[in-house]
Amino acid sequence: VRLLGPAAAEGSDADSNKLSILLLKVEGLPEGSKPNLTLQLSSPVEEASLSEIFDPLVEPVPESMQATFRGAETGQATLTITAKDVDIPLGSSEPLDLSVLAKFDAMTSSKEYIAEEAVPLCAEGQTEGDPVCTATIRVIFGPSPAERRGQLYDLLGVATKKKSAVVEKLRQASHANRQMATRQASPSSPAVKAGFLNKTKKEEASRFQIWFDRYNRYFGPESFFRKAKNYLIFFGTIGFFHFKGHVLALPPPV
């Protein structure tokens, strides 16, 4: 952009583009015809004519071989061609889009861009069928510094949007990788299970309950030993008195 230099004064030739049109050939007319083309530019509204086929050996190129427009608004302007053979109307073209004919690439150093177009000319009111003739024109477009600068800014904007989109994708990919790494680094199960202390207490209580149940079974109030104890004492005492009662007898008096 800096190579384009500062913007020229508005309305000056240096700040205007240049559009030149040459007539290369006309096909479909009888020999001896002298076609005369009228070129109508829509924006700005200007008109020019071509009365001779372009001859590259003629220098400088006369106005009869070259039509020149300055300051054409190529983004929205159209070009219409009307042909006559002397005073006899031959036909006219459909409006041609100048944004197609006047393409340029601001990234190159070329000062002029050339395009050729075969333009069919149909009789007035004719929309279908073969044209009366076909005129081949050459369009030479020299964009203004402002147009070059505008295209460069547009390209810069597109590049900036693409860069932002790529950076956003990279950021999302990095975030996703970090999340994946975090999930892989974290253990699948905790090293210490929740409630392990309670589980130990429960195990100890369970062991104590087993011994307590065994004690109650053999020595508790409802155990067989406790219930049979009185009977054992009673029958044991009777047996002792029966077999060993003399041991408890008093000695005879002296």
Side-chain angles (χ1 to χ4, degrees), residues 22-27 37 53-54 134-137:
L22 309 173
L23 177 60
L24 301 183
K25 61 182 178 179
V26 179
E27 298 175 309
L37 302 186
I53 303 291
F54 171 67
T134 301
T136 301
I137 60 174

Side-chain angles (χ1 to χ4, degrees), residues 88-218:
I88 302 174
L90 297 175
S92 59
S93 69
E94 293 291 330
L96 305 176
D97 188 356
L98 276 190
S99 63
V100 177
L101 295 176
K103 284 185 176 180
F104 69 96
D105 186 1
M107 298 296 292
T108 65
S109 58
S110 300
K111 294 183 178 181
E112 292 182 337
Y113 300 85
I114 299 174
E116 293 185 1
E117 183 78 11
V119 183
L121 303 174
C122 300
E124 185 176 355
Q126 180 183 352
T127 56
E128 296 181 358
D130 296 331
V132 175
C133 60
T134 301
T136 301
I137 60 174
R138 176 179 294 169
V139 179
I140 304 173
F141 181 64
S144 66
E147 289 172 326
R148 288 179 176 273
R149 192 177 291 108
Q151 188 180 93
L152 289 175
Y153 282 133
D154 291 341
L155 293 174
L156 178 61
V158 172
T160 302
K161 289 182 180 179
K162 289 183 178 180
K163 179 182 177 181
S164 299
V166 171
V167 170
E168 179 63 20
K169 288 183 179 179
L170 291 175
R171 188 192 66 79
Q172 293 177 357
S174 176
H175 180 68
N177 290 336
R178 285 198 303 270
Q179 287 184 333
M180 184 178 298
T182 302
R183 286 196 296 267
Q184 291 177 351
S186 61
S188 57
S189 59
V192 179
K193 295 183 178 180
F196 76 101
L197 294 177
N198 295 334
K199 186 175 181 181
T200 303
K201 291 180 180 178
K202 287 182 180 179
E203 290 177 352
E204 292 178 355
S206 177
R207 255 188 245 111
F208 177 77
Q209 185 66 34
I210 291 173
W211 287 106
F212 184 75
D213 291 342
R214 287 179 180 177
Y215 173 81
N216 285 335
R217 181 182 300 174
Y218 297 107

Side-chain angles (χ1 to χ4, degrees), residues 69-97:
F69 300 95
R70 288 193 176 273
E73 298 179 6
T74 56
Q76 59 186 12
T78 59
L79 180 70
T80 305
I81 301 176
T82 304
K84 291 182 180 181
D85 185 2
V86 189
D87 294 330
I88 302 174
L90 297 175
S92 59
S93 69
E94 293 291 330
L96 305 176
D97 188 356

Side-chain angles (χ1 to χ4, degrees), residues 21-23 35-40 46-52 62-69 79 81-82:
I21 301 175
L22 309 173
L23 177 60
N36 190 322
L37 302 186
T38 300
L39 311 177
Q40 181 68 52
E46 293 184 16
E47 186 177 285
S49 62
L50 293 173
S51 58
E52 293 185 70
E63 292 183 358
S64 58
M65 294 184 184
Q66 176 175 277
T68 302
F69 300 95
L79 180 70
I81 301 176
T82 304

Side-chain angles (χ1 to χ4, degrees), residues 3-16:
L3 294 177
L4 297 177
E10 186 176 355
S12 64
D13 290 343
D15 193 48
S16 301

